[in-house]
């Protein structure tokens, strides 16, 4: 998440135009009709990603487009996904034939939402849209977005259901409205409104028959904090996993009373996240903030009906109190804690590190890297079945609860062939255990061990799973490294984040 701050800029004439644009609603047969022209923007994003396998390189700049909705005279809300590696952001409005520079004010990858700030010198004043928080199954909604030619385009969908599902930019599961669509595939960032002009949410993905929408409730939560001139700290994420508790024999084993029908089983508690400080493996989660959780991990919402308990956690701003009712050791207990986040970048194998250059260290042609989800995805479609099992183990089993002291997984990724590494050139995709006798807990440990002064004529690196020990001669290593860097076009020998 990041936040930048801007001074407000106003011009009398523009202020007058803005006051006129506030009346962007007209009446028809006594009903309000929404006029979106002054509330929508076309967004063009230039991005340059780092090459995961050759992290010293960046790809050529690529352009993506998405769409945004005004939530202030110079503020626009949209989805976060297109901005993960953004370098240049430009927008068009119905009143600006030329692109206007914009920048990220706040971005929350867990909620997949981004708040943009238009360049204050543009003089553009938008008409803000109000996001509602209602839900009516079967309600017809109109999707709207502004094309690059400043024309308002439309689609149509019907509210079908509310679910909690994975978003595209985080491991976190978020509340999602699913619309049944009668139009072509929806545009990212498209806003869906009812007839009165109240926005119900922002589209983030679609198929031929359905549209996934971030609800107005989530947008309002985000804007409440994002539009402040203070640090954005976000909302809570679960610090545990559960599974259904429907088997009567398991409930008897847990000594649960026969009349106690609610509760799901806490199967795994993370090292961070909401509830991680008070829950234990084997607890039965009965309620959150007094709202009963059934055996499937859902609670009765007044509008959404059965919805996952995860939604109750994400409603809490970080630091707010939250209560858990549990069944533990044959007793019903209630515990209090505070909402916290488990940031994706804090995982042992990070889910994402958007905007950052991947960490690496190269010496003797040996390329060492930090294990990340992006690295595992190099194995392509269905990568879970192709990745070496020991690498998958760290991601699947230890990401949320790493061993004591272990902050990162360092791997020898592959070897750039050179005379110095003859006999080792087939090594790769293996986890570093020690370097020069130092246990490697993170990339910075490896860098220090390889650059520390030592009387030994060799660097000695040991790996997990009894892979061969690597011995690198130190004689003329600096000159050899420079030759390798020149041969392979490497401008920088390492990138180690503080």
């Amino acid at each position: 998440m990041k936040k930048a701050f801007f001074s407000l800029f106003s011009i009398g004439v523009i202020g007058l135009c803005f006051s006129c644009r506030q009346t962007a609603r007209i009446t028809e047969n006594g009903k309000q009709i929404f006029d979106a022209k002054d509330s929508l923007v076309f967004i063009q994003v230039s991005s340059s990603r780092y090459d995961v396998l050759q992290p010293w390189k960046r790809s050529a700049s690529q352009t993506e487009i998405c769409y945004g909705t005004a939530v202030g005279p110079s503020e626009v809300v949209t989805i976060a996904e297109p901005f993960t590696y953004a370098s240049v952001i430009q927008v068009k409005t119905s009143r600006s034939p030329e692109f206007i520079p914009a920048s990220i004010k706040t971005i929350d990858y867990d909620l997949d939402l981004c708040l943009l700030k238009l360049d204050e010198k543009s003089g553009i004043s938008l008409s803000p849209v109000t996001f509602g928080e209602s839900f009516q199954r079967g309600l017809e909604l109109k999707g709207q977005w502004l094309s690059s030619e400043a024309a308002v385009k439309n689609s149509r969908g019907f509210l079908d259901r509310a679910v909690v599902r994975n978003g595209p930019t985080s491991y976190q599961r978020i509340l999602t409205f699913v619309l049944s669509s009668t139009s072509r595939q929806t545009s990212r960032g498209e806003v869906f409104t009812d007839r009165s002009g109240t926005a119900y949410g922002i589209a983030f993905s679609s198929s031929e028959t359905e549209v996934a929408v971030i609800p107005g409730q989530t947008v309002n939560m985000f804007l409440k904090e994002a539009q402040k001139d203070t640090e954005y700290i976000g909302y809570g994420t679960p610090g545990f996993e559960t599974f259904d508790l429907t088997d009567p024999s398991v409930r008897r084993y847990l000594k649960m009373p026969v009349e106690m029908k609610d509760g799901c089983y806490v199967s795994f508690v993370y090292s961070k996240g909401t509830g991680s400080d008070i829950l234990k493996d084997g607890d039965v989660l009965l309620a959150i903030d007094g709202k009963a959780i059934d055996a499937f991990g859902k609670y009765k919402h007044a509008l959404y009906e059965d919805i996952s308990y995860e939604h109750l956690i994400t409603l809490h701003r970080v630091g707010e109190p939250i209560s858990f009712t549990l069944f533990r050791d044959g007793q019903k207990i209630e515990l209090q804690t505070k909402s916290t986040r488990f940031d994706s970048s804090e995982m042992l194998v990070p889910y994402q590190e958007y905007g950052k250059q991947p960490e690496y260290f190269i010496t003797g042609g040996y390329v060492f890297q930090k294990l990340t989800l992006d690295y595992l995805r190099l194995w392509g479609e269905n990568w879970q079945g192709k990745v070496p099992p020991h690498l998958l183990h760290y991601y699947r089993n230890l990401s949320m609860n790493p061993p004591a002291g272990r902050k990162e997984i360092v791997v020898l990724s592959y070897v750039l062939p050179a005379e110095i590494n003859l006999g080792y050139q087939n090594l790769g995709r293996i986890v570093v255990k020690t370097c020069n006798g130092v246990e490697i807990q993170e990339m910075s440990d490896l860098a220090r061990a390889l650059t520390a002064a030592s009387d030994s004529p060799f660097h000695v690196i040991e790996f997990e799973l009894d892979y061969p020990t690597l011995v690198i001669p130190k004689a003329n290593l600096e000159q050899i490294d420079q030759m390798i860097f020149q041969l392979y076009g490497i401008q920088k020998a390492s990138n180690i984040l503080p």
Side-chain angles (χ1 to χ4, degrees):
M1 301 180 186
K2 67 177 182 179
K3 194 169 185 94
F5 300 95
F6 300 84
S7 61
L8 296 175
F9 179 83
S10 61
I11 302 174
V13 174
I14 298 303
L16 178 60
C17 292
F18 173 63
S19 66
C20 295
R21 293 177 195 175
Q22 291 305 296
T23 60
R25 300 172 189 266
I26 60 176
T27 61
E28 180 181 285
N29 298 326
K31 295 183 178 180
Q32 287 187 318
I33 304 297
F34 179 55
D35 182 2
K37 201 169 183 67
D38 291 325
S39 301
L40 304 178
V41 300
F42 172 86
I43 306 171
Q44 181 174 285
V45 186
S46 297
S47 302
S48 178
R49 297 173 179 264
Y50 286 97
D51 187 321
V52 177
L53 198 57
Q54 301 180 82
W56 54 90
K57 291 184 178 181
R58 296 193 76 156
S59 64
S61 183
Q62 297 180 332
T63 300
E64 293 185 74
I65 61 171
C66 63
Y67 306 91
T69 305
V71 290
S74 60
E75 291 181 333
V76 172
V77 68
T78 184
I79 59 173
E81 187 179 7
F83 302 91
T84 52
Y85 292 91
S87 54
V88 178
I89 305 168
Q90 301 178 97
V91 305
K92 277 186 179 181
T93 74
S94 64
R95 309 274 177 167
S96 59
E98 303 297 328
F99 277 110
I100 300 168
S103 56
I104 296 172
K105 182 176 182 181
T106 312
I107 192 163
D108 187 329
Y109 294 116
D110 287 338
L111 300 181
D112 191 25
L113 287 170
C114 178
L115 182 65
L116 299 180
K117 181 79 171 180
L118 273 59
D119 188 345
E120 59 186 18
K121 298 178 182 178
S122 68
I124 294 295
S125 189
L126 301 169
S127 179
V129 170
T130 299
F131 282 84
E133 300 189 4
S134 61
F135 177 86
Q136 181 182 338
R137 191 182 302 276
L139 179 67
E140 182 178 355
L141 298 177
K142 181 166 69 172
Q144 300 178 85
W145 74 100
L146 191 73
S147 72
S148 58
E149 293 81 26
V152 176
K153 302 291 186 178
N154 297 292
S155 65
R156 187 173 64 157
F158 297 85
L159 267 178
D160 182 66
R161 62 193 184 276
V163 297
V164 172
R165 61 164 57 167
N166 289 100
T169 51
S170 170
Y171 75 94
Q172 172 71 7
R173 283 158 47 89
I174 58 175
L175 180 68
T176 303
F177 285 172
V178 179
L179 278 62
S180 58
S181 175
T182 58
S183 306
R184 50 91 200 115
Q185 289 196 357
T186 302
S187 303
R188 294 190 303 172
E190 177 179 345
V191 63
F192 277 86
T193 65
D194 64 12
R195 186 172 177 78
S196 73
T198 298
Y200 272 65
I202 300 170
F204 66 87
S205 69
S206 66
S207 66
E208 293 182 358
T209 58
E210 292 188 337
V211 181
V213 172
I214 301 170
Q217 180 188 39
T218 304
V219 176
N220 287 336
M221 284 168 42
F222 170 70
L223 293 177
K224 182 180 178 180
E225 301 300 322
Q227 290 181 308
K228 295 177 180 178
D229 288 333
T230 55
E231 181 184 4
Y232 181 87
I233 59 174
Y235 291 84
T237 60
F240 57 96
E241 296 176 8
T242 63
F243 62 70
D244 298 349
L245 189 53
T246 56
D247 188 339
S249 61
V250 176
R251 300 180 78 92
R252 287 196 299 270
Y253 172 78
L254 294 170
K255 301 178 181 179
M256 298 179 68
V258 176
E259 65 273 13
M260 186 178 286
K261 304 298 183 182
D262 287 333
C264 59
Y265 187 80
V266 178
S267 56
F268 182 59
V269 178
Y270 303 158
S271 60
K272 295 182 181 179
T274 304
S276 62
D277 56 335
I278 59 171
L279 270 67
K280 296 180 180 180
D281 294 356
D283 283 344
V284 178
L285 176 61
L286 298 176
I288 296 177
D289 290 334
K291 293 181 172 58
I293 310 299
D294 67 18
F296 299 95
K298 297 182 178 181
Y299 78 101
K300 288 289 185 184
H301 189 277
L303 295 176
Y304 311 142
E305 299 178 358
D306 294 330
I307 203 79
S308 171
Y309 69 82
E310 294 156 294
H311 179 237
L312 291 170
I313 294 174
T314 57
L315 289 175
H316 287 269
R317 186 173 179 267
V318 168
E320 290 181 349
I322 185 171
S323 66
F324 289 84
T325 305
L326 307 171
F327 189 81
R328 176 188 293 173
D329 298 330
Q331 298 183 45
K332 185 177 180 180
I333 60 174
E334 185 164 327
L335 300 175
Q336 304 282 335
T337 187
K338 291 185 177 181
S339 173
T340 58
R341 292 185 65 251
F342 197 149
D343 193 275
S344 299
S345 63
E346 296 176 317
M347 295 167 64
L348 183 64
V349 181
Y351 184 95
Q352 55 87 358
E353 292 186 309
Y354 298 131
K356 298 178 181 178
Q357 182 180 10
E359 292 189 72
Y360 69 94
F361 192 99
I362 307 172
T363 188
Y366 301 98
V367 181
F368 298 94
Q369 295 183 247
K370 180 170 75 172
L371 186 63
T372 65
L373 180 57
D374 279 344
Y375 185 88
L376 295 175
R377 285 174 171 161
L378 290 171
W379 273 262
E381 189 177 358
N382 299 320
W383 57 268
Q384 295 94 332
K386 303 173 184 177
V387 170
H390 63 292
L391 299 186
L392 185 62
H393 164 71
Y394 279 112
Y395 174 72
R396 179 172 288 172
N397 302 325
L398 298 177
S399 279
M400 297 297 192
N401 203 352
R406 198 80 179 259
K407 296 180 179 180
E408 298 169 351
I409 302 302
V410 180
V411 298
L412 170 60
S413 184
Y414 58 97
V415 182
L416 299 169
E419 186 175 351
I420 191 174
N421 51 50
L422 288 173
Y424 292 107
Q425 293 174 0
N426 291 327
L427 283 181
R429 303 170 297 281
I430 53 179
V431 178
V432 176
K433 182 178 180 181
T434 67
C435 178
N436 295 334
V438 176
E439 188 173 1
I440 303 303
Q441 307 276 20
E442 55 185 321
M443 284 292 297
S444 58
D445 291 341
L446 179 73
R448 282 191 293 269
L450 288 171
T451 55
S454 169
D455 294 334
S456 172
F458 303 102
H459 291 304
V460 179
I461 299 175
E462 296 179 302
F463 302 99
E464 295 182 356
L465 301 181
D466 298 323
Y467 280 95
T469 298
L470 174 61
V471 179
I472 307 174
K474 291 183 181 178
N476 302 316
L477 183 57
E478 186 174 337
Q479 294 89 335
I480 293 171
D481 280 345
Q482 291 303 315
M483 292 173 60
I484 291 173
F485 298 157
Q486 184 175 5
L487 178 64
Y488 290 97
I490 300 170
Q491 303 296 322
K492 187 179 175 184
S494 65
N495 178 60
I496 307 296
L497 299 178

